[in-house]
Amino acid sequence: MPVLSVIVPFYNVEKYIGPCLDSITSQTLEDLEVICVDDGSADDGPVVVAARQAADPRIRFVRQPNKGVGHARNVGLRHASGRYLAFVDGDDTVPRDAFGRLVTSLEDTGSDLACGNVMRLHGNVLVPSWAHRQAFAKPRRRTHISRHPLLVRDRMLWNKVYRRSFWDRLGLSFPERMYEDQPVAMAAHVGAGSVDVLARVVYHWRQRDEPESSITQRRLEPGNLRDRLLSVLQTADVLGRGAPELKGDFDRDTLDIDMSVAVEAIAGLGSSADPGLVDLAVRYLDGVAPEAWQSLPYEQRLLVHLLHRRRLDELTETFADAEAGRLRPKVTSTGLLRRRWYGRHPAMPGHLAEVSAELKLRSRLVSLDWRESVLSGAGRAAVGTFDVSDVRRVRMNVWLRERGSGATVPLSEGLSAPVVEDVRQEDGRLLEEQAFPFRFAFDLETFTKAQLARRGLWDLYVGIRGRGLRLEGRVGGPRWLPPLIPEPRRRSGVWAVPVRGVKGAWSLRLRHAQAVIGECGLDGDDLVFSGEMADVGDGEPVLRLRRRNDGEEMYFPVALAGRDFHARVPLADIDERVSREAWWEVLIDHGTAIRPLVRTAHRAVATVAERRFLIDRGEDGCLLLAER
């Protein structure tokens, strides 16, 4: 009897099944069996498995007609003989020490179940899984989902090892449909006497790049949605019976994720939607407590309410308005000592209309530039996507706040009334926006010698006050849209560098510079720049690009003439992005890494081989290369 049985269902994953099995058979825990269940693949995946089986007697190979992954897992269970059970999808991989760590933990603690952290696998690059980041932030032994409620998000099957006797005692088996793992994983969490939580990564969950390759990428298909909703209902029942105190946490996640998918799919079908699908969504929503509804943003709350009330034509129309940015409910308030704010829409009942916790400033700059030593700017501050015309006039303040010390420098104060204008979005569309305009000016002479010496980072803030509304927030805006970031200015040997964070928030950084880029631009499909270094050192400098997403690095030559340097980066040679955006920091390395300050105001967008690059500045004023 092996220590561990690993069940691997697979279907049309010829490209991935080999690396998957290699990651399992190379585990530090060698006493295991691998039960591969072919669910009627139409590609050469079975050939790959057969070759691995011939080379490793621990691999067992079972074939069946295509009946779905749930049936395949149940077949694998009938063949499993290990004291412990694990499940791996045929397109994923497992870190080499994962099963050893999970099994050792169970042997040490006697727990029924051990689970660990997860990374998403994009090509060959790993990034943290958002669903697991919080629950697995630190290790916990002999815990339980009732004592660690964040495990409600741990609804996947495959980052775990289960004690076989525990599995059989609960009588666990898989529904023969898609999304079959969620109710089983939750039933195991609820039914366990104790659970071990490992902060170490034990699973690499692949994000496949084929457009029709996975269940989640086909989420809007009616059959896919049906199985998703059945899984939600079954999981809700598991929690309702076994851990009712966790049902609210589950509902908040489900309203946000699963019901968003249901709304999008059914809004696309309108009154022609299958009544059976609508019935499933309504059955689930009938059991959601009022406080869970309030966790949804107003817009999504309205759409889910229309689905719940089966008002499908209204759902389709309102969804289209929301997608086009036309859904802007008017905000009104009640109360004097404790002001409450409500979003008004004909379809929204009063008990679901409160938006007090949702009113946040969304501000952006429309201009920013130097006038001698004075940095002058203008912007607009909107209250989310709501219509606040009833507020009429507010008092607006703009200031700089230093990170760390909390020191502030006031920039402007005055009255402002909301105005409406068309605003360009990152996708090129013009959307109507209602916002309060503001202006400010800041003279570098305002900084004291002590403030300059600290070389800190000063964030730009705006606040509004009026008719009980008191909001403040950082000034930001879409990173890929104007205004341009002004060039740095120098005072008393310290550079004042206007900068913009990756998410578009504006700041002013005070810094010294060991290298300064004076010329930067495009030469065909190449990024070229030149400048001067304060100290060239003894070694040959190289240009180092470091990707913020994952720390990946690339190197390019630097030509040096005295203190002057010149570099050329062929954009076509840059590694492709691994998520929606990739950000590369540009450093000069000659024994120590130097972040060169960019003096030029030039900011270019280049398209190379259908890839779009932005040449910009980072939060420290250094050169930053982004791909989107």
Side-chain angles (χ1 to χ4, degrees), residues 287-308:
V288 174
E291 53 270 20
W293 281 89
Q294 287 296 333
S295 69
L296 280 177
Y298 182 93
E299 183 178 287
Q300 181 65 12
R301 202 185 318 158
L302 172 60
L303 294 169
V304 175
H305 168 72
L306 291 172
L307 173 58
H308 188 205

Side-chain angles (χ1 to χ4, degrees), residues 535-554:
D535 181 5
V536 296
D538 297 327
E540 288 290 327
V542 295
L543 187 70
R544 176 151 57 102
L545 269 61
R546 182 168 60 200
R547 187 161 54 194
R548 286 183 173 182
N549 309 57
D550 55 8
E552 178 75 11
E553 294 187 345
M554 299 186 69

Side-chain angles (χ1 to χ4, degrees), residues 418-479:
V419 298
V420 177
E421 68 178 16
D422 289 336
V423 177
R424 189 163 302 282
Q425 308 300 304
E426 287 184 275
D427 60 7
R429 293 181 300 161
L430 286 174
L431 291 183
E432 185 180 273
E433 180 186 78
Q434 179 196 74
F436 297 94
F438 62 88
R439 291 183 175 276
F440 65 89
F442 173 66
D443 193 331
L444 281 180
E445 300 296 326
T446 304
F447 277 135
T448 67
K449 290 183 178 180
Q451 288 170 336
L452 288 170
R454 286 202 297 267
R455 299 200 297 276
L457 182 63
W458 295 75
D459 296 320
L460 183 63
Y461 279 83
V462 65
I464 65 173
R465 290 176 293 152
R467 295 191 61 178
L469 193 65
R470 299 176 66 92
L471 301 171
E472 67 174 56
R474 290 186 63 185
V475 179
R479 175 73 189 234

